[in-house]
Amino acid sequence: LESNKYTIAGTLHTCNGSPGNWNDCDRGGCQNNAFYVDPNMLCPEDRCTINTSRPFAVSHYQDSSIANIYMEQDGRSADFNFCSDGGYSSNMASQAYAGMVFTASLWGGGGIDMGWLDGMTGCPGDCDIGSASVTMSDFRVF
């Protein structure tokens, strides 16, 4: 899951190896971007279903056939499947349960073009990481 205040994208990546020794992960993965599903799904304005300038809940569901991102805020919800390739989802699901771990980071900054994530929204490519922040609360992994 990769996002900013203009869009959110989900990507499954598979790797070769074994628990504790994963390597050679694919770069492209199986992915989709919320903006491609609905340009008004999320943005930092009230016109969007999810206003990213206020707190909202995000969840990810994945099984051997689909991978989905679901968001909820003030009784409004939005979701989209970001990988409907059953073979790919199944392969990633088996790897995830074999020792892969969740990792979160805040990254970007000068000289790092984020156009791959949000270029279609009209957002400029560089991010001001110095003034960026993220808050995660009530975090759970099932």
Side-chain angles (χ1 to χ4, degrees):
L1 179 115
E2 297 148 324
S3 66
N4 59 29
K5 62 184 176 181
Y6 297 100
T7 192
I8 188 168
T11 308
L12 298 182
H13 296 282
T14 58
C15 302
N16 295 322
S18 59
N21 191 29
W22 299 109
N23 60 60
D24 192 30
C25 300
D26 69 343
R27 303 210 28 98
C30 183
Q31 63 183 313
N32 199 3
N33 185 308
F35 190 84
Y36 294 138
V37 176
D38 176 0
N40 295 308
M41 188 178 295
L42 75 159
C43 72
E45 301 173 22
D46 283 332
R47 69 175 174 82
C48 289
T49 305
I50 303 297
N51 181 339
T52 58
S53 66
R54 298 192 327 264
F56 62 99
V58 178
S59 67
H60 161 82
Y61 172 78
Q62 177 184 338
D63 65 16
S64 61
S65 60
I66 66 161
N68 181 275
I69 293 174
Y70 172 84
M71 297 166 284
E72 190 276 328
Q73 179 184 60
D74 302 331
R76 298 185 307 189
S77 64
D79 74 301
F80 67 103
N81 290 331
F82 64 90
C83 182
S84 56
D85 178 334
Y88 205 99
S89 294
S90 179
N91 188 20
M92 177 63 189
S94 67
Q95 291 180 357
Y97 298 121
M100 285 192 171
V101 298
F102 172 83
T103 303
S105 64
L106 177 60
W107 60 279
I112 299 175
D113 183 4
M114 299 299 289
W116 61 269
L117 174 64
D118 58 15
M120 76 292 296
T121 69
C123 178
D126 281 353
C127 295
D128 180 4
I129 197 74
S131 67
S133 67
V134 64
T135 301
M136 294 184 202
S137 61
D138 195 21
F139 185 84
R140 294 175 279 176
V141 176
F142 298 96

